[in-house]
Amino acid sequence: MDFLCRFGHDWSMQVEVTPEETAVLIRWRKRSDNHVLVRMKAEAILYASEGVGIGIIAKMVERAERTVQEWLAEWWATRMCSVLTGHAGNQDAAEPARAQKEELKTILVRPSSPAGVRAEFWDVPAIRDVVKTLSDAEHQSDSSYRLLLRFCGLSFKLPDPFDGHRDEKAVTRRMAWATTQVKALLDQGWEVYAVGEVRLEHEAWTRRVQPPKGQRTRPSVDRRRTSQSFFGALSLTSKKVKLYPIEGNRNTWQTILALERLQRETETEKIAVVLDNARFHHAKALTALHEPGQPLERIMPIHLPPYAPDHNPVEHVRNAAKNNIANIQHETPEETFGAFASYIAGRTFDYDFEHLPPRETRNDFVS
């Protein structure tokens, strides 16, 4: 079947371009440092949006009519993504200038919509093409492009409430039950904790090295990472958090050690802990310890629904602490982990299952 017929277009089709897309295409067409094919595609789409015929457009951009038709069909399918194209040449990217950062941010923050940029557009290869088009430079590692998103206050991370496996009706039912259960226990004088684990990473910053005479300066990045996990328990009574470092990986054994310490440090006789549905929280080695006569008999576990970390108050404590230290580069791992612990230890958090901070998702690239 003909490529163009698959998209339902004929030789006289007129493409639709939003005002925002028009402004970006005009800038790309005018930039002399852009790849020539980007300028041609931008020009062809702008002409087609004004109803100019395929034959005339083909003469203006000096390409075959079929080629122009394919460009327009691709525009219908992938919008802005179809204009940017990979090409030869590789230059190490210096830090973008202020104007380039602002232009990049203007493009990236545009929300996805049927008439705009598709959600799938914002992957690393696509952002690499955008940066190449705007600044004629390329970064060597994918993490550099992820860092550009951070500079713009954006993220690749899929927001927790939109997990593909999440059953909203089941989450609502389970949370109604858990909230009622927790409220009843608090009324009876129990100490209730919302608990969870968190993992932090420390990575050295990018630095430039002095090259031999006559060679270009190339950025050198220390990619060695140091991590530290913590077990946190937010008291729904005192609104304070007990934070325990975890040795090694998060697992059933480390959870048992943390719960034993939490039990020792809690004066109230009866304790309830609200946990997420991590697999190691359901291990028989842990659940058996809550039976009468066992080491954790004072603790009653309450499990949250699957794929619903946003309903756990301690997760919001973790997010607040991470956001507080995210843009501060500490020299040593100990300073990074200490800053995280100090932020939590010095505050009270007025969170419970009925009063949680709203989740910010407007800058996440999801549909």
Side-chain angles (χ1 to χ4, degrees):
M1 180 182 294
D2 187 90
F3 171 84
L4 306 172
C5 293
R6 284 180 291 171
F7 294 91
H9 304 310
D10 56 35
W11 290 102
S12 60
M13 77 176 188
Q14 178 177 356
V15 299
E16 295 180 359
V17 181
T18 66
E20 294 82 5
E21 290 170 335
T22 299
V24 175
L25 291 173
I26 290 175
R27 286 201 304 271
W28 289 354
R29 184 188 64 177
K30 290 182 177 180
R31 286 179 65 96
S32 59
D33 56 344
N34 274 349
H35 189 240
V36 63
L37 188 56
V38 173
R39 297 200 304 270
M40 286 183 179
K41 287 185 176 182
E43 185 174 4
I45 293 169
L46 289 171
Y47 281 138
S49 69
E50 297 296 330
V52 179
I54 296 295
I56 297 177
I57 296 176
K59 292 180 180 178
M60 296 294 293
V61 299
E62 299 181 339
R63 286 292 187 271
E65 292 185 5
R66 183 174 181 82
T67 299
V68 174
Q69 186 68 17
E70 289 176 353
W71 291 351
L72 300 183
E74 291 170 357
W75 170 262
W76 277 101
T78 59
R79 311 297 293 186
M80 299 292 289
C81 185
S82 68
V83 181
L84 296 167
T85 179
H87 49 279
N90 179 31
Q91 292 178 276
D92 292 326
E95 182 179 359
R98 182 184 299 273
Q100 293 172 338
K101 285 183 178 180
E102 290 302 318
E103 188 171 7
L104 178 63
K105 183 174 182 179
T106 300
I107 295 174
L108 293 180
V109 298
R110 293 175 56 213
S112 58
S113 67
V117 180
R118 295 176 59 184
E120 295 88 344
F121 170 70
W122 296 122
D123 53 16
V124 168
I127 294 178
R128 181 183 290 112
D129 286 336
V130 171
V131 174
K132 178 65 177 178
T133 300
L134 296 178
S135 59
D136 195 29
E138 290 186 10
H139 296 281
Q140 289 187 328
S141 66
D142 289 352
S143 59
S144 298
Y145 294 98
R146 298 188 183 98
L147 188 60
L148 287 176
L149 281 184
R150 285 175 175 260
F151 284 152
C152 295
L154 307 173
S155 171
F156 277 118
K157 187 178 184 299
L158 189 69
D160 293 324
F162 299 97
D163 192 289
H165 297 89
R166 176 163 163 153
D167 184 340
E168 290 294 343
K169 292 183 178 180
V171 169
T172 301
R173 289 194 303 268
R174 181 69 180 182
M175 286 309 305
W177 173 87
T179 302
T180 302
Q181 184 88 340
V182 167
K183 187 177 185 302
L185 295 176
L186 289 172
D187 291 341
Q188 297 171 24
W190 286 53
E191 179 65 76
V192 181
Y193 293 99
V195 305
E197 295 85 10
V198 60
R199 183 171 181 266
L200 297 181
E201 287 188 350
H202 173 90
E203 181 179 357
W205 60 84
T206 302
R207 63 186 185 277
R208 291 190 177 277
V209 297
Q210 184 63 36
K213 186 175 181 180
Q215 296 184 16
R216 290 175 50 192
T217 300
R218 295 182 177 274
S220 174
V221 184
D222 184 357
R223 293 296 181 193
R224 291 176 298 176
R225 295 179 177 179
T226 304
S227 63
Q228 173 67 59
S229 296
F230 292 92
F231 177 93
L234 170 63
S235 169
L236 301 187
T237 304
S238 67
K239 304 298 184 181
K240 293 186 177 181
V241 178
K242 296 181 183 294
L243 194 66
Y244 307 142
I246 294 176
E247 299 297 331
N249 296 326
R250 295 169 289 178
N251 52 41
T252 301
W253 175 244
Q254 294 298 332
T255 301
I256 292 173
L257 294 178
L259 290 176
E260 287 179 340
R261 180 175 175 182
L262 180 65
Q263 183 175 252
R264 290 195 305 269
E265 296 180 0
T266 302
E267 297 180 357
T268 306
E269 179 62 24
K270 295 183 177 181
I271 307 168
V273 294
V274 183
L275 310 112
D276 60 32
N277 257 273
R279 180 174 298 179
F280 55 84
H281 288 164
H282 292 276
K284 291 183 179 180
L286 172 59
T287 57
L289 298 180
H290 297 298
E291 299 295 330
Q294 296 299 315
L296 298 178
E297 63 176 345
R298 291 170 53 198
I299 297 179
M300 181 180 73
I302 299 174
H303 292 282
L304 293 174
Y307 307 106
D310 52 303
H311 286 286
N312 192 343
V314 78
E315 294 287 339
H316 295 273
V317 174
R318 178 199 69 176
N319 292 340
K322 276 191 168 183
N323 291 337
N324 179 262
I325 68 171
N327 295 322
I328 303 174
Q329 177 65 55
H330 296 280
E331 293 187 6
T332 65
E334 292 73 20
E335 290 181 2
T336 298
F337 306 146
F340 176 83
S342 297
Y343 178 89
I344 292 178
R347 288 170 171 77
T348 59
F349 298 88
D350 192 17
Y351 301 154
D352 57 43
F353 294 101
E354 296 179 298
H355 303 89
L356 294 173
R359 290 184 58 85
E360 295 290 339
T361 61
R362 68 178 184 276
N363 282 339
D364 289 307
F365 295 119
V366 295
S367 54

